[in-house]
Amino acid sequence: MLAYLEHFVHEKDAESRQEDEVASLSRALELQASIDELGPTGIASKDFGGIKSVKPLAMIRPSSPVDVARVVKAAAASPSLTVAARGNGHSVNGQAMAEKGLVLDMRALEEPFEIVWVEGTAYLDVSGGALWEDVLKRCVSEVGLAPRSWTDYLGLTVGGTLSYAGVSGQTFRYGPQTSNVTELEVVTGKGETLCCSLTQNSELFFGALGGLGQFGIITRARVVLQQAPDMVRWIRVVYSEFEEYAGDAESLVGEVEECFDYVEGFVLVNSDDPANGWPTVPLDPEQVFDPIHIPSTAGPVLYCLELGLHYGNADHRSRARDVDRLLGRLRFVRGLKFQTDVSYMEFLLRVKRVEEHAKANGTWDAPHPWLNLFVSKSHIVDFDREVFKKILKDGVDGPILVYPLLRTKWDNRHSVVVPDSDIFYIVALLRFSPPPPKGPPPELLVAQNNEIIQFCTSRGLDFKQYFPHYHSREDWMKHFGKQWTRFVERKANFDPMAILAPGQRIFSRTP
Ligand code: FAD
């Protein structure tokens, strides 16, 4: 049974027509619950990006995969309705929206949450609408287990991140989150509910992973688990030269056997600016970043390698020796090393503190014109020279992530596309500027993003957008390259009327 359906009213003269549509939809869905008028403030017309807003016809809170299938079938029976699964709406370009369509609030889908053991390995069967932070808390506290591959911030849904990739400091070792699920339950654009895996309905399984929500709605995922460690030694070391930073980061991610458990890094401005500079490095208020250590040859930006090493309460001493040995080989600026010990849960929930701070200072609800790219190793030095050192030399009022990933950990059969290179970097411009007039107009920041993309394109850099956002079919074809045909075939197989995820703006609904 559907929990309930919320109705959006746009204009006075359109009101009665829309009420008719919603009423007939409710009948078609055998919906008995009430229809709430949310008006323009409804969450379904908003996302974290805060740049785009379109109004749906209605938002539906499904209580089971049966509800999801019923909604998709009702849309298929109509001449023009589309359906957008909305995870936690943390997209930045309206990807989880559906103009005059139906938005499914996937958070309402609470079940399942079940640990299953298959041939000695533990898995979590979890709802596509579950938040990763709830997955973490329940898995660790109930069974002492945890997924292997994460995102930095965990207020994201399982189905939302699996529709892209899901990347963080564990990706070099275990691959993105999409490489850490073995089975999905998916409601296709035809309204069929299918279980899929490597061996069963495999084309749907590969298609849905990184599939931008185009082939089906993920209602359940089976996630690989491992023993959760007790603690994490969390370390930051600073570099003045990009080549040394990148060389060390690449050598660390290449050594899967004897290495840290988490490897990331970011660019900071070489100044005392509180949002962009030296103060962003220390891990607790007791630590001081003393600029006296910065070599006189340093440029406008510095680089911070961020590392994590897991340990159990019993092996603290020996792991501390491991840290010293591993760090001893790195070429960071001596004197600019910061470390602290935190519980595993605290470490994975570290961005929650950033969220609380941003909510308090108004930058969480401000527009977020973010840009995320994958840039091939062979072009990252050019990118550093032109983008970090010039275009972004004053920072983005938030983290500028840059760290290497290994191509071998990404499955070519999945829908996500990445550069054709053994090592490529994720570059994330996580802008947290205050809203205007205190901060810059968002259009200016979008223009800066476009300038960066323009630079990459005109210089022929091997790069891909992560969370791609394009306006024309030609651009989508370029994005997918030789995988475009496969993407179109998957769409024809699983969502032939282009009902699903209209906010990605790749295909148009056919009657
Ligand atoms: P939504 O934004 O709601 O949806 C995203 C897309 O997926 C939409 O097209 C939607 O229709 C579709 N979709 C949603 N649920 C389903 C489903 N169940 N089945 C099929 N399609 C579905 N990403 C990383 O990889 N690593 C990070 O470290 C990271 N950190 C972030 C930090 C913050 C503060 C924010 C705002 C985002 C971050 N992201 C990160 C990006 C995040 O992965 C995306 O925003 C992603 O969209 C997940 O968010 P969501 O669950 O809110 O999905």
Side-chain angles (χ1 to χ4, degrees):
M1 182 61 62
L2 288 157
Y4 66 94
L5 184 147
E6 290 170 342
H7 174 206
F8 291 76
V9 177
H10 315 308
E11 299 152 27
K12 220 39 190 152
D13 56 350
E15 203 170 306
S16 59
R17 189 165 39 84
Q18 287 188 349
E19 270 169 6
D20 285 351
E21 272 181 80
V22 174
S24 62
L25 186 69
S26 305
R27 278 196 301 278
L29 294 170
E30 297 168 22
L31 180 67
Q32 287 158 17
S34 65
I35 296 171
D36 292 351
E37 289 185 5
L38 277 190
T41 54
I43 59 156
S45 54
K46 287 184 180 171
D47 68 15
F48 182 79
I51 296 165
K52 183 146 188 181
S53 172
V54 297
K55 308 242 166 56
L57 176 67
M59 183 167 77
I60 297 163
R61 298 189 197 280
S63 57
S64 70
V66 175
D67 287 346
V68 174
R70 224 188 270 171
V71 169
V72 174
K73 280 183 192 149
S78 82
S80 61
L81 277 178
T82 53
V83 179
R86 185 183 197 276
N88 206 20
H90 277 53
S91 293
V92 297
N93 282 300
Q95 287 99 330
M97 296 180 192
E99 189 164 14
K100 297 187 184 128
L102 305 175
V103 173
L104 282 167
D105 179 3
M106 297 302 289
R107 297 271 314 272
L109 209 63
E110 282 172 7
E111 298 295 327
F113 191 99
E114 199 182 330
I115 310 286
V116 289
W117 288 87
V118 181
E119 291 170 6
T121 304
Y123 299 85
L124 173 70
D125 272 355
V126 66
S127 157
L131 290 182
W132 285 106
E133 64 186 36
D134 295 330
V135 169
L136 171 72
K137 287 175 194 161
R138 285 193 63 179
C139 281
V140 173
S141 62
E142 290 176 22
V143 283
L145 300 172
R148 308 185 299 190
S149 183
W150 294 96
T151 47
D152 295 342
Y153 170 68
L154 306 188
L156 310 168
T157 64
V158 169
T161 67
L162 292 180
S163 296
Y164 285 113
V167 176
S168 185
Q170 305 83 11
T171 306
F172 77 95
R173 175 168 296 175
Y174 297 113
Q177 290 181 315
T178 40
S179 298
N180 289 274
V181 290
T182 59
E183 192 179 288
L184 299 173
E185 178 187 77
V186 173
V187 175
T188 69
K190 298 177 188 167
E192 299 164 317
T193 305
L194 298 173
C195 182
C196 58
S197 66
L198 274 175
T199 52
Q200 188 186 2
N201 295 311
S202 58
E203 199 54 24
L204 179 61
F205 179 71
F206 297 134
L209 294 169
L212 309 174
Q214 293 302 303
F215 314 117
I217 297 173
I218 299 167
T219 48
R220 176 180 63 82
R222 179 164 288 184
V223 182
V224 183
L225 299 179
Q226 66 178 8
Q227 201 66 41
D230 298 314
M231 300 290 292
V232 179
R233 169 68 61 90
W234 184 10
I235 303 150
R236 286 182 177 166
V237 289
V238 175
Y239 291 72
S240 61
E241 302 306 318
F242 185 74
E243 284 79 354
E244 290 180 355
Y245 166 79
D248 280 358
E250 286 176 22
S251 81
L252 286 177
V253 302
E255 288 171 25
V256 172
E257 281 309 311
E258 202 206 15
C259 181
F260 292 96
D261 296 288
Y262 166 98
V263 178
E264 280 205 9
F266 59 93
V267 180
L268 63 136
V269 175
N270 188 5
S271 78
D272 62 357
D273 181 304
N276 297 290
W278 310 324
T280 60
V281 176
L283 290 163
D284 70 50
E286 306 291 296
Q287 298 173 350
V288 179
F289 186 110
D290 189 347
I292 200 158
H293 297 293
I294 303 171
S296 56
T297 49
V301 295
L302 303 171
Y303 311 92
C304 179
L305 191 59
E306 183 173 66
L307 307 164
L309 193 80
H310 296 171
Y311 62 91
N313 290 331
D315 60 0
H316 181 202
R317 287 234 175 103
S318 68
R319 292 304 268 166
R321 279 196 298 274
D322 289 343
V323 168
D324 290 342
R325 190 170 35 78
L326 288 164
L327 287 179
R329 290 182 288 145
L330 303 180
R331 291 168 284 175
F332 59 89
V333 177
R334 295 302 186 247
L336 294 179
K337 177 173 94 177
F338 304 85
Q339 50 184 335
T340 186
D341 292 292
V342 288
S343 75
Y344 179 63
M345 194 101 96
E346 240 180 290
F347 179 72
L348 288 177
L349 292 171
R350 64 199 178 279
V351 182
K352 195 86 188 158
R353 277 193 282 158
V354 178
E355 176 181 354
E356 283 157 13
H357 182 68
K359 279 187 171 156
N361 72 18
T363 58
W364 190 262
D365 295 318
H368 299 104
W370 286 9
L371 180 67
N372 285 267
L373 302 172
F374 294 128
V375 180
S376 149
K377 165 191 158 148
S378 54
H379 292 133
I380 197 68
V381 171
D382 298 338
F383 191 92
D384 167 63
R385 194 181 49 246
E386 294 300 319
V387 179
F388 297 145
K389 288 198 174 87
K390 291 185 187 161
I391 302 176
L392 299 178
K393 66 179 187 334
D394 298 321
V396 299
D397 290 335
I400 302 178
L401 305 183
V402 57
Y403 58 91
L405 302 169
L406 299 178
R407 183 74 181 80
T408 49
K409 303 290 174 180
W410 295 64
D411 192 326
N412 282 329
R413 296 167 295 184
H414 296 172
S415 293
V416 65
V417 283
V418 295
D420 214 1
S421 163
D422 291 353
I423 293 184
F424 59 90
Y425 282 72
I426 182 164
V427 174
L429 312 186
L430 309 181
R431 302 174 182 279
F432 273 99
S433 298
K438 211 168 156 212
E443 304 79 51
L444 214 71
L445 305 178
V446 171
Q448 193 180 58
N449 291 345
N450 291 339
E451 184 189 352
I452 293 167
I453 293 173
Q454 178 58 28
F455 159 75
C456 294
T457 312
S458 64
R459 298 288 178 91
L461 266 55
D462 182 13
F463 80 105
K464 294 287 175 197
Q465 278 191 39
Y466 180 38
F467 314 114
H469 169 61
Y470 293 108
H471 295 286
S472 74
R473 194 172 182 94
E474 266 177 5
D475 283 339
W476 279 113
M477 288 168 75
K478 258 191 242 153
H479 172 76
F480 282 104
K482 51 185 192 301
Q483 290 179 30
W484 173 247
T485 314
R486 184 182 71 182
F487 200 79
V488 172
E489 277 169 13
R490 285 175 172 169
K491 188 71 175 173
N493 278 339
F494 302 116
D495 182 23
M497 292 158 79
I499 287 166
L500 301 177
Q504 298 281 0
R505 301 161 58 111
I506 309 174
F507 301 101
S508 301
R509 170 76 160 90
T510 56

